[in-house]
Amino acid sequence: MFFKSLASKVLEGDCVLVLGPRISAPQEVSEGDEPMDEYLAARLLAALGADKIPALDLRAAIARYEREKSASACRNLVQGLAGGFDDYSTALQRKLAKLPFRLVLAATSDRTMAKAFAVSGKPGVQEAYYDYCRGVAADHALRLPSADEPIVYNLFGRHDHPESMVLNDKNLLDYLVKITRESPPLPDVVRATLRAPSTVFLFIGFGFRNWWLRLLLKVLEIIGVENRSLSLALEDGKVFDAAASSEHRGFFESVGIFVQASDWNVLADDLVTEIGRREAAKALVPVLAAPASVAKGRPLVFLSYASEDVDKVDMLRISLQGRGLTVWQDRQNLRAGQNWEEHIDRMIKGVDYFVFVQTEAMDRRDRTHGGVYNMELKQALVRVKKLPYGSIFLLHVTMGQCRERPEPQLSEVHRISVDSEAGRNELATAIMTAYLESRGEAPPLA
């Protein structure tokens, strides 16, 4: 049952893949199935001539190298070793690249997953990385990710920008401070995807043993999001021993991540088979495509929502924009110093469609003092009365488990849940259909 749910999330684009340092290094540069962290640790010790030293984990090997050489020498060596992976990918990565993942978080500094996407027929893969040394976000012009143009985001820096790599304990503390303060912030499309309640996560070889992971996952809102389904973390039995696993499993399962020692190659094979079966069995459904004439004048959509839901609505805005709509959202478009009431009133009178985004946070606020969105909704309902009968202007969408709204006019409007990719697509399709029909253009079938 859990596997089928995971496959559905992957197919719908609502599963983020997180690759950790325990996945294998490419066989072209390593010995057999050697995990990336073990490969790097062994090469660091070998560079010290430490053949008789017992094997150390990567963090300990880095610490020893820095003591005997220097931090800059260690960084240069790790940069070269990680860079040596870039022309290769592993069989596991190529299997995963066949699946419709839209966002991949890499906990290593190499670019092997981007290579896997490229050799698997997805040359439009987008790459970005977090640089804790910068006070501002790196200049990554990321588009809304798709199955054909996924994003690979190196969460702990990337080797071609060696100053960004998180290697030692001091780097880690600085990194945790910076990412907690959002200085710099994550890219909008990455942040919105991580925080969306519909998103689940598949961790592979991530290493759920470190104390700081609990803080990091909370800061990224990978854990602690209401109404999120269970995520899955696969660890190798070599390091995830029974003595340690009980405590770790207990905590992470309590926050929605099921951790187990398992063969992730088998899971990858099973997902490829299951999703291939579903895609082959899926009936051919006509999809709306906007003609060239619409591209010059895309429908303008106003999003009305409670301010505490801004991060969730960011995700909706990005999704609609990626489907050819122009979206007006107050945080994105309202400039400081403008008379906001007058400006919003003018926008509602001028947009093509008004989308009322109802959430559980909105329902809770309505029990106390309400919000600006109620005023916006009233203005939209006034405009509806002036439109010809049957015209579509107001669309009602929900996020999470929402109550019935008190406005009788909303009961006449079909509610759409936008918690999933399918729901967001339904909303965009409804708007584009109404827009084309209003222009006298029959919606073409792709």
Side-chain angles (χ1 to χ4, degrees):
M1 187 67 179
F2 183 78
F3 172 76
K4 291 184 177 180
S5 175
L6 177 64
S8 297
K9 284 290 189 179
V10 174
L11 192 56
E12 292 166 3
D14 285 329
C15 182
V16 172
L17 175 63
V18 187
L19 296 178
R22 296 298 299 170
I23 67 170
S24 297
Q27 290 187 351
E28 291 86 350
V29 294
S30 69
E31 300 174 359
D33 245 358
E34 196 173 12
M36 284 192 180
D37 57 352
E38 291 185 13
Y39 171 87
L40 294 175
R43 293 335 177 255
L44 286 170
L45 295 178
L48 292 175
D51 297 334
K52 296 182 180 180
I53 295 177
L56 301 175
D57 64 30
L58 179 56
R59 190 60 57 81
I62 287 172
R64 176 164 187 138
Y65 195 97
E66 289 182 339
R67 286 196 306 271
E68 298 192 19
K69 297 287 187 178
S70 69
S72 59
C74 182
R75 190 167 296 269
N76 288 339
L77 180 53
V78 174
Q79 178 189 16
L81 291 169
F85 295 159
D86 285 353
D87 290 332
Y88 310 103
S89 59
T90 67
L92 171 67
Q93 290 171 322
R94 291 189 292 273
K95 291 174 190 175
L96 295 170
K98 295 177 182 178
L99 299 171
F101 288 110
R102 288 160 170 76
L103 174 61
V104 178
L105 299 182
T108 54
S109 61
D110 58 87
R111 302 170 70 183
T112 52
M113 191 61 205
K115 181 69 174 180
F117 276 123
V119 299
S120 298
K122 299 178 181 180
V125 58
Q126 307 174 69
E127 295 185 77
Y129 63 95
Y130 190 83
D131 187 349
Y132 76 98
C133 288
R134 294 170 61 103
V136 295
D139 186 18
H140 299 308
L142 295 175
R143 303 176 299 280
L144 184 74
S146 66
D148 294 324
E149 295 186 336
I151 293 173
V152 177
Y153 192 78
N154 291 82
L155 195 56
F156 299 100
R158 206 170 65 197
H159 71 81
D160 52 339
H161 297 269
E163 71 284 352
S164 70
M165 294 190 298
V166 179
L167 298 182
N168 57 36
D169 287 343
K170 182 181 183 304
N171 297 158
L172 178 60
L173 291 174
D174 290 341
Y175 170 87
L176 291 173
V177 169
K178 293 293 184 70
I179 204 164
T180 300
R181 292 178 176 174
E182 296 188 328
S183 175
L186 296 171
D188 284 346
V189 292
V190 174
R191 180 170 54 88
T193 300
L194 298 183
R195 296 178 176 181
S198 59
T199 300
V200 298
F201 299 85
L202 173 59
F203 298 86
I204 295 182
F206 194 62
F208 280 86
R209 294 173 56 88
N210 301 305
W211 63 267
W212 50 268
L213 278 181
R214 303 185 184 195
L215 171 62
L216 178 62
L217 298 184
K218 176 63 177 176
V219 168
L220 296 178
E221 296 194 46
I222 290 176
I223 61 176
V225 176
E226 292 184 12
N227 302 317
R228 174 169 284 166
S229 299
L230 194 65
S231 295
L232 176 63
L234 302 183
E235 298 288 350
D236 64 289
K238 181 177 179 180
V239 297
F240 200 74
D241 56 87
S245 65
S246 177
E247 177 190 351
H248 294 301
R249 281 178 175 165
F251 173 79
F252 286 109
E253 287 182 18
S254 72
V255 294
I257 300 175
F258 180 68
V259 186
Q260 65 179 44
S262 183
D263 187 337
W264 44 69
N265 289 283
V266 173
L267 178 73
D269 286 333
D270 290 345
L271 282 173
V272 169
T273 300
E274 175 66 13
I275 289 177
R277 181 191 66 76
R278 293 191 189 190
E279 288 179 333
K282 192 190 306 179
L284 184 61
V285 179
V287 180
L288 287 174
S293 60
V294 175
K296 297 179 181 179
R298 304 191 301 178
L300 178 59
V301 180
F302 184 104
L303 294 181
S304 177
Y305 60 96
S307 58
E308 53 263 58
D309 293 314
V310 64
D311 290 325
K312 296 178 182 178
V313 177
D314 271 346
M315 183 65 181
L316 178 60
R317 170 181 59 82
I318 292 167
S319 182
L320 294 178
Q321 288 173 338
R323 290 173 166 81
L325 309 180
T326 300
V327 180
W328 195 94
Q329 180 184 354
D330 56 6
R331 191 180 81 163
Q332 295 287 331
N333 304 93
L334 194 56
R335 297 177 182 175
Q338 286 180 324
N339 184 325
W340 64 272
E341 285 192 42
E342 179 182 340
H343 190 77
I344 288 177
D345 180 59
R346 191 162 61 247
M347 285 301 303
I348 293 174
K349 291 177 180 177
V351 296
D352 297 302
Y353 300 97
F354 179 94
V355 176
F356 184 69
V357 185
Q358 182 184 358
T359 65
E360 293 168 287
M362 177 184 287
D363 290 346
R364 288 193 295 271
R365 183 194 280 198
D366 275 344
R367 296 190 184 99
T368 56
H369 57 279
V372 173
Y373 55 84
N374 281 320
M375 178 196 71
E376 295 170 347
L377 179 57
K378 289 176 182 178
Q379 291 172 313
L381 291 173
V382 169
R383 184 175 170 188
V384 168
K385 291 180 180 179
K386 299 178 181 179
L387 295 174
Y389 179 76
S391 298
I392 295 178
F393 169 70
L394 172 62
L395 296 102
H396 182 195
V397 304
T398 61
M399 292 181 176
Q401 300 297 319
C402 299
R403 64 175 177 83
E404 291 296 321
R405 288 286 304 183
E407 297 83 4
Q409 298 94 327
L410 285 184
S411 64
E412 302 171 4
V413 179
H414 174 57
R415 290 202 328 181
I416 300 173
S417 170
V418 291
D419 289 321
S420 67
E421 189 72 14
R424 294 188 285 272
N425 188 61
E426 180 184 351
L427 174 62
T429 300
I431 293 172
M432 186 62 76
T433 301
Y435 183 68
L436 293 173
E437 290 178 347
S438 70
R439 294 166 59 96
E441 301 177 16
L445 297 179

